[in-house]
Amino acid sequence: IECVGIYRGYQGLIEGDFEDLSARSVRNIINRGGTFLKSARSQEFKTKEGRAKAHAQLVKNQIDALVLIGGDGTFTGGMLFNEEYNAPILGIPGTIDNDIDGTMYTLGYDTALNTVVDAIDRIRDTASSHDRLFFIEVMGRDCGHIALNAGLGAGAEEILIPEANRGLEQLLESLERSRKTGKSSSIVVVAEGDKTGKSVFQLAEYVEENLPNYDIRVSVLGHMQRGGAPTCFDRVLASRMGVKAVESLMEGKSNYMVGMIKDEIVITPIIDAIKGKSSVDSELMRVCEIMST
Ligand code: F6P
């Protein structure tokens, strides 16, 4: 099998921005974050004309199949392309948000979790030394996996996620209760997409107005969550998923996504993987509640 690297995702596919890769092309990168193939959000691929150009490049370069690494958007575009041109596709879930069904873990999620926990641990030093309440915003535009798991792992007192909007009153009550039971510092982890209707800064202001005893600070972790050396878990997962993707294509499979379920690498129809978009575990939410009292 010959392997071709496509730079900048679908945009590079449209432009024919390719490079022949060998096993040596990926030497010394297992420990690095980011991608040497780069990434782009291609508006052109969303158009019929763009996809026609992409297909012409596949034919010209005799590329028989595509391995797509990405999330919801990547897979939706891939399925459309497959429908129009019958080009075999196999997906690998790569997003720190973990919001894809058909796998318990997406690539990058574990690394992001560990980065977030490390960051919260460091912030906690200030929170406890200065008796402060910190609002820490973590990524997760539409889902709370990072907030929930990193929040639990870092011992956050409150976790706000889009899947469970407990309301502002309950947040105040709970913070007030913590104060009364002797907690002098607290960490509130807020997922980017939480549904309180307030930004993390507005949330902090709101709490400051209602609970003036708290000395409040805000920290937005931002894109530092998406970088850095991958954890061993992510390195092993990526290797296993890559092998499964290529072997599945060789078996003639198409329109599937590789995933890990109960430590087994399996494939799921892409349509099912993006349909459900993985909901958060209610048992985990219950554990968080117990642990934060
Ligand atoms: O990949 C999804 C995500 O990590 C979201 O959680 C976050 O909102 C978004 O990416 C940020 O994307 P961008 O770098 O384009 O601002």
Side-chain angles (χ1 to χ4, degrees), residues 139-155:
M139 276 188 171
R141 196 170 20 207
D142 305 307
C143 65
H145 292 288
I146 295 179
L148 197 58
N149 283 275
L152 180 59

Side-chain angles (χ1 to χ4, degrees), residues 16-232:
D17 194 2
F18 304 155
E19 189 181 318
D20 290 338
L21 302 180
S22 74
R24 298 286 77 73
S25 308
V26 290
R27 73 176 155 228
N28 295 335
I29 66 163
I30 198 158
N31 55 337
R32 285 169 48 193
T35 162
F36 78 96
L37 287 175
K38 300 195 178 281
S39 186
R41 299 193 199 281
S42 173
Q43 293 308 321
E44 205 179 344
F45 194 74
K46 290 185 182 162
T47 66
K48 237 181 161 19
E49 297 73 39
R51 292 193 296 278
K53 284 189 205 164
H55 180 246
Q57 291 289 358
L58 282 193
V59 174
K60 188 172 147 202
N61 291 276
Q62 295 177 298
I63 295 172
D64 306 313
L66 290 171
V67 175
L68 311 171
I69 308 170
D72 191 23
T74 305
F75 295 155
T76 306
M79 279 195 308
L80 198 55
F81 190 58
N82 171 271
E83 215 176 280
E84 291 170 345
Y85 296 103
N86 206 23
I89 55 162
L90 223 300
I92 295 182
T95 162
I96 64 164
D97 291 348
N98 208 36
D99 58 347
I100 302 280
D101 270 349
T103 187
M104 292 171 78
Y105 304 99
T106 54
L107 286 184
Y109 173 59
D110 184 67
T111 303
L113 280 185
N114 282 285
T115 305
V116 172
V117 166
D118 181 57
I120 300 176
D121 285 351
R122 288 163 195 264
I123 291 170
R124 186 180 285 286
D125 290 345
T126 296
S128 68
S129 307
H130 293 256
D131 287 340
R132 283 178 182 164
L133 166 62
F134 265 89
F135 281 85
I136 303 176
E137 186 192 271
V138 301
M139 276 188 171
R141 196 170 20 207
D142 305 307
C143 65
H145 292 288
I146 295 179
L148 197 58
N149 283 275
L152 180 59
E157 277 69 25
E158 304 290 335
I159 302 169
L160 308 183
I161 56 172
E163 295 85 347
N165 184 13
R166 294 189 305 138
L168 294 170
E169 281 314 304
Q170 213 177 325
L171 174 68
L172 288 181
E173 267 170 39
S174 176
L175 288 171
E176 185 71 336
R177 206 173 330 116
S178 300
R179 190 91 182 167
K180 285 191 180 134
T181 58
K183 276 190 189 169
S184 55
S185 66
S186 291
I187 302 279
V188 180
V189 173
V190 185
E192 232 177 356
D194 94 294
K195 296 279 188 285
T196 52
K198 292 187 185 294
S199 74
V200 68
F201 292 99
Q202 290 168 333
L203 262 180
E205 258 173 47
Y206 176 82
V207 173
E208 205 156 35
E209 278 161 19
N210 289 280
L211 301 174
N213 286 337
Y214 271 113
D215 185 11
I216 301 180
R217 294 290 186 278
V218 174
S219 184
V220 177
L221 299 188
H223 287 81
M224 58 96 84
Q225 296 162 88
R226 277 217 309 227
T231 56
C232 180

